[in-house]
Amino acid sequence: MKPQNIAPKSIAIVGATGAVGVEILRVLERRNFPVASLKLLASARSAGKTLEFQGKPHRVEELTAGAFKGVDIAFFSAGATRSREFVPAARAAGCVVVDNSSAFRIDPDTPLVVPEVNPGDLQRHKGVVANPNCTAAILSVAVWPIHKAAGVRRIIVSTYQSASGAGAAAMQELEDQARDFAAGKDIKRAVFPHQIAFNVFSHNTKVAENGYNEEENKVVEETRKMFGMPDLPIAPTCIRVPVLRAHSESITLELDRPLSPEEARAILANAPGVKLVDDAASNHFPMPLEASGDLDVHVGRIRRDLSNPNGLMLWVAGDQLLKGAAWNAVQIAEELAKLSAKPMAAE
């Protein structure tokens, strides 16, 4: 459903020329979001480029502290360093920031929101709303309806993460490596630490002292925060795979009570943001190829965990650039627009 009765908003996109920035622009168009005015902001090297929105070219401007005057909602998709540097200026100018980086996600004063899960948290924002890590966002959309029905005690998740999670340059690297491999040429790598074409490897983030990499720790911390369950046991393994776009996840849940696959299918078939893809007869289940470009998270392979009477297993695929980033951000903006008539909380 497209947004209804939302007053036009002045929008800024920081990191407009990046993979997520471009997707935000497309989703705003796709949703027919009422944009009163649009500012496209990026680094000095990208300033002067043009991007099309609603059939008209818009010039990219250099990101500066003074660029946010008159802006209602600013999408930040230029990394945590830029967010920490420029979000204060955006807030001071009176606009609300939807931040796609990790800069504010674990800040206790900043709501971390997936609208299908915890939209009520938006009411306590203080000028910044954090968009979660892509893996946590996709996971939460699939698991939350099950949690509401049967209570989740524990989550075990293994992820199969596409090149898109590392940006446009990573996607290009996968394409280039595949082309060079087919031509018998030497494989070159610049973005990833290992060859991504025809290979899988542990997620390319630093391994922390607890033995889990940054991506895995994000999944734990952010899912707990969104669910309001600070002690929820979560065991993640995050892997990079040679897929251009859309992440996949193998999820095993331990529940408070048994939930049959039939009950789970009925719940998920009616859950917001979920597309049930669970055709055992045709061996047709979620695939990143089909999830790419879809706003919904695809969920299937719903089956009992044979090792646990209270266990349930799912296979999930979701577009990292959409539900994992741009679409979730625009959803947040739609919800903020509905709340904009209410006074904002003071810091």
Side-chain angles (χ1 to χ4, degrees), residues 19-20 100 105 133-135 160-171 191-192 203-205 215 218 240-241 243-247 318-321 324-325:
V20 176
N100 272 299
R105 288 174 183 160
N133 168 271
C134 52
T135 309
Y160 304 72
Q161 296 183 223
S162 63
S164 65
M171 297 171 74
V191 179
F192 289 119
H203 193 278
N204 52 297
T205 47
E215 186 79 358
K218 287 176 185 178
R240 191 71 78 180
V241 297
V243 170
L244 269 180
R245 182 166 173 154
H247 292 351
D319 192 315
Q320 179 275 333
L321 290 172

Side-chain angles (χ1 to χ4, degrees), residues 298-313:
H298 294 200
V299 183
R301 288 290 335 260
I302 301 166
R303 61 205 189 278
R304 298 180 187 275
D305 176 357
L306 298 180
S307 69
N308 184 343
N310 284 16
L312 189 73
M313 302 182 73

Side-chain angles (χ1 to χ4, degrees), residues 173-174 177-179 181 187 194-201 242:
E173 181 160 289
L174 172 55
Q177 287 184 359
R179 193 176 295 111
F181 182 92
I187 301 296
H194 310 289
Q195 177 179 321
I196 182 66
F198 308 102
N199 191 26
V200 298
F201 51 83

Side-chain angles (χ1 to χ4, degrees), residues 36-58:
S37 63
L38 179 66
K39 278 191 177 183
L40 304 180
L41 303 170
S43 64
R45 67 177 179 274
S46 295
K49 293 181 179 178
T50 59
L51 295 174
E52 188 173 294
F53 179 69
Q54 294 181 338
K56 298 178 181 178
H58 287 71

Side-chain angles (χ1 to χ4, degrees), residues 222-257:
E222 295 179 26
T223 304
R224 287 173 171 174
K225 182 176 178 178
M226 288 185 290
F227 278 36
M229 301 174 69
D231 299 316
L232 177 63
I234 304 175
T237 302
C238 294
I239 302 297
R240 191 71 78 180
V241 297
V243 170
L244 269 180
R245 182 166 173 154
H247 292 351
S248 301
E249 303 180 12
S250 174
I251 303 169
T252 300
L253 303 174
E254 181 179 346
L255 306 174
D256 288 334
R257 67 170 181 86

Side-chain angles (χ1 to χ4, degrees), residues 123-147:
Q123 297 184 43
R124 62 177 182 84
H125 82 81
K126 299 177 180 178
V128 184
V129 179
N131 211 31
N133 168 271
C134 52
T135 309
I138 292 166
L139 172 73
S140 68
V141 170
V143 172
W144 183 252
I146 300 297
H147 172 60

